[in-house]
Amino acid sequence: MDLAFECALFVVGLVFGSFLNVCISRIPRDQSVISPRSHCPACGAFLRWHDNVPFLSWLLLRRRCRDCGSRISLRYPTVELLTAVLFTACYVSFGPTLITAKFCIFCFLLVGLIFMDAESGLLPREFTYPGIVLGLALSWLAPTDSTGTQFFLRAYGAPLPTPVQLGLLDSAIAAVVGAGFFYLAWALYYLLRKRHGMGFGDIALMAMAGAFLGLKLTLFVIFSAPLAGVVYAAVLFARCSRNTPAMGEGLDGQARSSARESFFMQELPFGVFLGTCSLAAVFFGESIWRWYLSFF
């Protein structure tokens, strides 16, 4: 039965991943996800039903459009396979429970937001705002580990609510803490630099993550996502510094300084790191917390 459920969820994940590709392509451009039906972005030809089977059609078509021969982006099978794998991983990790359904929804939203931010630099409210509401609502039906909120309630001598109420409270506090932390970071950066250091979509994404994950795992995302962004930026900077002399030997100090300044003015899709670390929190957050607390 477990294998049957895993296979079924894998297929369902492929289907949802196929729909995610439509959302990723259209929502940032303010286009309908319903009409027109799926078509080739290069020539506009509508896809036949047998050319629209998730992942399988991409293989059978040898990664090219049947009508114009244009190469089909690798993003399409990647999103479909990633969504299928995440859905299956949720079942393997949490079993036939409401927690599995809750985190499948969360993974669906995160995959869409990660790829939309990577491609367009946008985190549409069509995903983040309903995600916040769903996270809060599902905390009633499938509460996560609320030990973070319990710790603070006991520290202040407050009475513990019922498990259902505690789940909702933990979800709401996590959403506020997650969004509030990055809103404060945005405000401080804006006061110092007079420019936006991140978008409000990142703040909404963090509120959504908090609503689904609860306080303890949200704290993991708050600290791990900026660290991942810094590591990624450091790698890019090292590559840029190594390639600059080869691009133009004899650059004077002013030119090199200008190149470095241009690098630091680039915008990183921070939502990619928030989303990726949120996915990591779902499957590895508890283990990482236990490993961290073992030092105390």
Side-chain angles (χ1 to χ4, degrees):
M1 288 298 294
D2 283 342
L3 180 60
F5 271 106
E6 290 167 14
C7 293
L9 267 179
F10 189 86
V11 174
V12 170
L14 287 176
V15 174
F16 273 81
S18 180
F19 176 67
L20 263 184
N21 276 317
V22 177
C23 296
I24 293 166
S25 297
R26 299 188 185 187
I27 288 179
R29 299 175 176 84
D30 292 324
Q31 298 174 352
S32 171
V33 298
I34 300 175
S35 177
R37 60 190 177 90
S38 298
H39 57 276
C40 173
C43 67
F46 290 116
L47 301 185
R48 302 157 183 83
W49 70 267
H50 49 83
D51 291 338
N52 204 24
V53 179
F55 187 68
L56 185 61
S57 292
W58 182 78
L59 289 177
L60 294 177
L61 289 170
R62 298 182 180 180
R63 301 172 292 174
R64 293 189 179 276
C65 172
R66 183 186 296 276
D67 293 279
C68 67
S70 299
R71 186 176 293 275
I72 301 172
S73 171
L74 185 61
R75 185 254 288 170
Y76 291 93
T78 300
V79 169
E80 291 165 357
L81 280 179
L82 179 60
T83 308
V85 169
L86 288 172
F87 277 25
T88 307
C90 286
Y91 180 81
V92 171
S93 300
F94 307 108
T97 63
L98 287 174
I99 293 288
T100 294
K102 173 181 177 178
F103 282 137
C104 281
I105 294 172
F106 187 44
C107 290
F108 172 84
L109 295 170
L110 286 177
V111 171
L113 289 166
I114 287 171
F115 279 88
M116 280 189 266
D117 195 31
E119 289 191 5
S120 66
L122 299 175
L123 293 166
R125 63 175 65 92
E126 288 87 348
F127 267 51
T128 54
Y129 289 3
I132 295 171
V133 175
L134 282 171
L136 292 171
L138 290 172
S139 67
W140 282 87
L141 301 174
T144 52
D145 184 359
S146 304
T147 53
T149 297
Q150 291 180 41
F151 172 81
F152 287 106
L153 289 177
R154 290 193 179 100
Y156 287 98
L160 292 180
T162 64
V164 174
Q165 293 172 337
L166 184 61
L168 178 59
L169 180 63
D170 184 61
S171 178
I173 290 175
V176 172
V177 169
F181 179 87
F182 287 105
Y183 180 82
L184 180 61
W186 168 86
L188 292 174
Y189 187 88
Y190 187 80
L191 287 174
L192 293 173
R193 301 293 301 274
K194 302 302 180 185
R195 58 190 298 265
H196 296 282
M198 66 176 65
F200 285 102
D202 298 307
I203 298 171
L205 170 55
M206 198 59 227
M208 183 190 83
F212 273 95
L213 294 173
L215 182 58
K216 184 168 68 173
L217 294 181
T218 298
L219 294 176
F220 167 80
V221 178
I222 286 175
F223 289 105
S224 62
L227 179 61
V230 168
V231 171
Y232 178 77
V235 172
L236 285 184
F237 181 72
R239 291 178 59 186
C240 178
S241 300
R242 186 173 63 249
N243 294 334
T244 297
M247 294 172 58
E249 295 182 0
L251 290 177
D252 57 21
Q254 184 176 359
R256 292 179 183 275
S257 177
S258 177
R260 287 193 295 268
E261 184 177 350
S262 176
F263 172 83
F264 286 115
M265 290 295 290
Q266 295 180 23
E267 293 184 2
L268 291 178
F270 189 52
V272 172
F273 304 107
L274 289 175
T276 303
C277 290
S278 296
L279 287 175
V282 171
F283 301 105
F284 310 111
E286 292 290 346
S287 299
I288 293 174
W289 262 115
R290 286 195 294 269
W291 170 78
Y292 174 74
L293 293 176
S294 66
F295 291 98
F296 298 94

